[in-house]
Amino acid sequence: MTGSNSPTLREVAERAGVHITTASRALNPSTSSLVRASTLRRVKAAARELRYQPNAIARGLKTARSMSVGVLLPDLTNPLFPPIVRGVEDVLAAAGYTTLIANTDNDPRRQGTLFDSLRARQVDGFVVATARREDELLTEAHREGVRIVLVNRRVDRADIPAVIGDDQSGIAQAVAHLVELGHTRIGHVAGPQNTATGLARLRAYRQAVEDAGLAADPALVARADGFTEAEGARALRAMLSATAVPTAVVAANDMIALGCLDVFAERGLGCPGDVSLVGFNDTPFIDRLTPALTTVRVPHYQIGAEAARMLLERLGDPDLPAKVITLPVTLVPRASTAPPRG
Amino acid sequence: MTGSNSPTLREVAERAGVHITTASRALNPSTSSLVRASTLRRVKAAARELRYQPNAIARGLKTARSMSVGVLLPDLTNPLFPPIVRGVEDVLAAAGYTTLIANTDNDPRRQGTLFDSLRARQVDGFVVATARREDELLTEAHREGVRIVLVNRRVDRADIPAVIGDDQSGIAQAVAHLVELGHTRIGHVAGPQNTATGLARLRAYRQAVEDAGLAADPALVARADGFTEAEGARALRAMLSATAVPTAVVAANDMIALGCLDVFAERGLGCPGDVSLVGFNDTPFIDRLTPALTTVRVPHYQIGAEAARMLLERLGDPDLPAKVITLPVTLVPRASTAPPRG
DNA sequence: TTGTAGGCGTTATCAG
DNA sequence: CTGATAACGCCTACAA
């Protein structure tokens, strides 16, 4: 006596003494009103007794909807993503959808494979959090009518709906904060320029520096080739080998900021004594560093939740315009920023 | 002309001029050897031209396998879980399986709902990382033949296969390290005792203290009701209100250790000057704290990967014995532990 | 209000 | 080696 298989609708119907069709109608909220009350009760009782669970797969085959959506992201172990995923899941689950997650490791080929595999599973749509600005795959899929919502990024030359944090405002707030403290030599360690956020934040930095009436010194900008501690350190070292130490650095994200801290330590530079530092994202635990990092808080959970809502909306009406929602971000001043040394 | 729907096997067959059955065989690695080479080529060409993707749902309906597994965990935003999930996914994806993730928030009712919903989707098995030692749902499901592998936990009175870190050894290493430094008054802030890890670590602590020939002082044990910073702080305060400050504290995990650090700061106790502290898990960024936390590194990714392998194994042969795999953990000495004050 | 018939896309089984 | 047929579990016309 191995595990009795799940009961089918047919068995429920038999037990209730009705035709399978009637059972189907009774158990389906949208059609149960067509069934006589007493019959309804019988069927429901039978279903309960057998612990009947409709087979979502079979249902999906008929209805051509899987009630599932795919989430594509670079790497779940990057602390940026769990809250986003959680937001997506909470909203989607409440609507009866299941979430399939796939890690691309930023490898376009892998992304392609996973995308296909998810499509084979008939997902009704995608939430995509991978980062590249150019993305043939997404551009074409979107053109073909695949439902996609982007989070934390956009794709060049393609009107794909997206939900993003306000990079521009975040950097502006950071720079304004530093200017207010009296800084005039403010550097930027930019993120990879083939990512939407890397680019947006660099542009925002340039804009903010100009708005503050400061000189735009190209030597004060370094580019990291990844949003990582190691790349942040490498980029900052490059900057420091070409120019004098700035009095403050705005990093494109917290990991890069961590790399900057390493370089400060390397060179015996105190933070914020000798150099102030601002990160981006408000990564968990970043407030427990020494010094606690001033950074820009991004509402990742809400971004995920909003993206899910948007996808749901588009699943309902495919012809909705491809809007882009920008969520506000907040500077969180902590101990890594202070007035420049007299 | 809206998005042309995905081509079906029938269309591929027509285009290749063969029967749908033949097309099916040709496209199926395990049966393609039954098809003549030239036919095979034709079918494959047709499939490629149409960009055919087999409908996994339809396949699942027929084969009664969904090639998907459910992962139940408390909360993805707890940094403990992403690496586990990643390990699970990597192994499962390589075997052609898709992973469905559900967050239970440690709510048994929610867990029940999600479990049912995943079963309705015909998942072939479960990886469960929720924490309670008593779990009706899992116990019964396992008895009914549902394939389940536990990670980082066990369930009382039920032989469910599991993959866990070696809690006992981890705590033993921590205590031995402290003893070696010269500590004799070593406290423990235990985790919730209705979780497998909370209990195991407390027991291991008692054992280790005894093995070291130290006096077992009940006042040196406090219980947190959750693996959180707040609970850790609350528990330690309770301990300190009842007895003198120990010279070292072993926390049941890093979050609890964080709470302990808060209390140290509150009371002006230096760490490691006045009190040494050891955590558990080697949570990301915990090495960047001041002081960098001495903790026990648990191979979370490997635990997830191993659990997935085990599940795969059991999917193949349901009658395998319910083994428990214990993976080694390592103490990582950092700055939060030092010899006791003269 | 309930039943009949047919099909969603695929694969298993059997015959040719 | 290939084709015909039925079936997986459910849902949706349509008919009764």
Side-chain angles (χ1 to χ4, degrees):
Chain A
M1 117 165 194
T2 324
S4 46
N5 267 325
S6 316
T8 72
L9 185 56
R10 152 172 278 112
E11 299 177 65
V12 173
E14 271 166 15
R15 177 174 250 263
V18 298
H19 188 92
I20 180 173
T21 311
T22 307
S24 169
R25 277 193 281 257
L27 265 17
N28 211 301
S30 66
T31 47
S32 62
S33 58
L34 302 177
V35 176
R36 190 200 300 155
S38 63
T39 313
L40 193 77
R41 262 199 310 280
R42 280 221 313 290
V43 174
K44 286 196 162 168
R48 207 172 320 111
E49 285 158 23
L50 293 174
R51 300 230 247 103
Y52 170 72
Q53 281 281 139
N55 183 324
I57 298 253
R59 197 211 301 275
L61 186 56
K62 180 64 190 179
T63 60
R65 309 191 57 193
S66 65
M67 295 301 280
S68 66
V69 329
V71 175
L72 247 33
L73 41 77
D75 178 11
L76 190 58
T77 60
N78 178 333
L80 189 63
F81 297 109
I84 296 180
V85 171
R86 191 68 218 264
V88 171
E89 287 202 313
D90 284 357
V91 170
L92 251 24
Y97 282 78
T98 297
T99 306
L100 313 191
I101 295 182
N103 301 84
T104 68
D105 287 324
N106 273 323
D107 173 350
R109 278 198 47 193
R110 204 171 137 84
Q111 165 165 317
T113 310
L114 292 166
F115 190 76
D116 287 346
S117 145
L118 256 17
R119 287 194 72 177
R121 295 191 133 88
Q122 309 298 114
V123 295
D124 298 327
F126 287 90
V127 172
V128 179
T130 51
R132 301 186 126 65
R133 278 167 46 211
E134 314 259 354
D135 202 319
E136 271 302 323
L137 178 69
L138 294 185
T139 309
E140 193 183 342
H142 177 245
R143 197 164 34 220
E144 280 177 12
V146 178
R147 254 70 120 208
I148 300 176
V149 173
L150 267 24
V151 295
N152 250 9
R153 66 170 289 188
R154 307 187 56 177
V155 169
D156 288 356
R157 288 182 301 287
D159 286 326
I160 308 185
V163 180
I164 54 183
D166 194 339
D167 287 320
Q168 200 272 319
S169 154
I171 294 291
Q173 289 178 56
V175 171
H177 167 65
L178 293 169
V179 167
E180 207 163 306
L181 288 170
H183 292 272
T184 53
R185 261 179 70 76
I186 302 173
H188 179 48
V189 179
Q193 295 299 298
N194 59 354
T195 65
T197 45
L199 180 67
R201 291 173 195 171
L202 172 54
R203 286 190 175 150
Y205 159 82
R206 291 202 171 113
Q207 183 67 50
V209 164
E210 188 187 325
D211 290 353
L214 302 178
D217 182 351
L220 286 179
V221 173
R223 287 178 179 73
D225 283 333
F227 283 109
T228 64
E229 185 170 352
E231 267 302 312
R234 192 197 55 70
L236 181 60
R237 279 191 209 103
M239 183 196 298
L240 297 187
S241 73
T243 185
V245 181
T247 63
V249 171
V250 174
N253 85 344
D254 291 337
M255 297 308 295
I256 288 179
L258 236 38
C260 294
L261 280 179
D262 296 340
V263 174
F264 294 166
E266 234 167 70
R267 319 233 161 172
L269 295 168
C271 174
D274 299 306
V275 200
S276 285
L277 180 64
V278 183
F280 209 111
N281 277 342
D282 196 18
T283 303
F285 297 109
I286 212 79
D287 56 324
R288 315 276 315 211
L289 250 51
T290 308
L293 192 69
T294 294
T295 185
V296 176
R297 177 173 299 156
V298 179
H300 294 295
Y301 180 91
Q302 280 76 11
I303 288 180
E306 202 55 58
R309 270 181 224 113
M310 197 149 154
L311 183 58
L312 250 21
E313 207 177 281
R314 298 180 67 79
L315 254 23
D317 180 356
D319 297 321
L320 253 27
K323 64 186 167 193
V324 172
I325 296 183
T326 303
L327 260 32
V329 300
T330 339
L331 182 80
V332 185
R334 298 207 181 99
S336 70
T337 45
R341 181 146 286 174
Chain B
M1 111 162 193
T2 324
S4 48
N5 266 326
S6 316
T8 72
L9 186 57
R10 151 170 280 110
E11 300 176 62
V12 174
E14 272 166 15
R15 178 174 250 263
V18 299
H19 188 93
I20 180 172
T21 311
T22 306
S24 170
R25 275 194 283 257
L27 266 16
N28 214 301
S30 66
T31 47
S32 62
S33 58
L34 303 176
V35 176
R36 192 200 301 154
S38 63
T39 315
L40 193 76
R41 263 198 310 277
R42 280 220 315 290
V43 175
K44 285 197 164 167
R48 207 172 321 111
E49 284 158 25
L50 294 173
R51 299 230 244 105
Y52 169 73
Q53 279 284 137
N55 183 325
I57 299 257
R59 192 204 308 264
L61 184 57
K62 180 64 193 179
T63 60
R65 308 192 58 193
S66 65
M67 295 302 279
S68 66
V69 328
V71 175
L72 247 34
L73 41 77
D75 178 11
L76 190 57
T77 60
N78 178 333
L80 189 62
F81 297 109
I84 295 180
V85 172
R86 191 68 218 265
V88 171
E89 285 201 316
D90 284 356
V91 169
L92 251 25
Y97 282 78
T98 296
T99 306
L100 314 191
I101 295 182
N103 301 81
T104 68
D105 286 325
N106 272 324
D107 173 351
R109 279 197 48 193
R110 203 170 138 84
Q111 165 165 319
T113 310
L114 293 166
F115 190 76
D116 287 346
S117 145
L118 255 17
R119 288 195 70 177
R121 295 188 131 89
Q122 310 299 115
V123 295
D124 298 327
F126 287 90
V127 172
V128 180
T130 52
R132 300 187 127 65
R133 279 167 44 212
E134 314 259 353
D135 201 318
E136 271 301 323
L137 177 70
L138 294 185
T139 308
E140 194 182 342
H142 177 244
R143 196 162 33 218
E144 280 176 11
V146 178
R147 254 66 122 212
I148 300 176
V149 172
L150 267 24
V151 295
N152 248 9
R153 67 171 289 188
R154 307 187 56 178
V155 168
D156 288 358
R157 288 183 299 287
D159 284 326
I160 308 185
V163 180
I164 54 183
D166 194 338
D167 287 320
Q168 201 271 318
S169 154
I171 294 290
Q173 289 177 56
V175 171
H177 167 66
L178 293 168
V179 167
E180 205 162 310
L181 288 170
H183 292 272
T184 52
R185 262 180 69 76
I186 302 174
H188 179 48
V189 179
Q193 294 300 297
N194 59 355
T195 65
T197 45
L199 180 66
R201 291 174 194 171
L202 172 53
R203 286 188 176 154
Y205 159 81
R206 290 201 173 116
Q207 184 67 51
V209 164
E210 189 187 322
D211 290 353
L214 302 177
D217 182 351
L220 286 179
V221 173
R223 287 178 179 71
D225 283 334
F227 283 109
T228 64
E229 186 170 351
E231 267 302 311
R234 192 197 54 70
L236 181 59
R237 278 190 210 104
M239 183 197 298
L240 297 188
S241 73
T243 186
V245 181
T247 63
V249 171
V250 174
N253 84 344
D254 292 337
M255 296 309 293
I256 289 179
L258 238 37
C260 293
L261 280 180
D262 296 341
V263 174
F264 294 166
E266 234 168 70
R267 319 235 160 167
L269 295 168
C271 175
D274 300 305
V275 201
S276 284
L277 180 64
V278 183
F280 209 110
N281 278 342
D282 197 19
T283 303
F285 296 109
I286 212 78
D287 56 326
R288 316 276 316 210
L289 252 51
T290 309
L293 191 68
T294 293
T295 186
V296 176
R297 178 173 298 155
V298 179
H300 295 295
Y301 180 90
Q302 281 75 9
I303 288 181
E306 203 54 58
R309 270 181 225 116
M310 198 148 154
L311 183 58
L312 250 20
E313 207 177 280
R314 299 180 67 79
L315 254 24
D317 179 355
D319 297 321
L320 253 26
K323 65 185 166 193
V324 173
I325 296 182
T326 304
L327 261 32
V329 300
T330 338
L331 182 79
V332 185
R334 296 205 181 99
S336 69
T337 45
R341 181 146 286 176

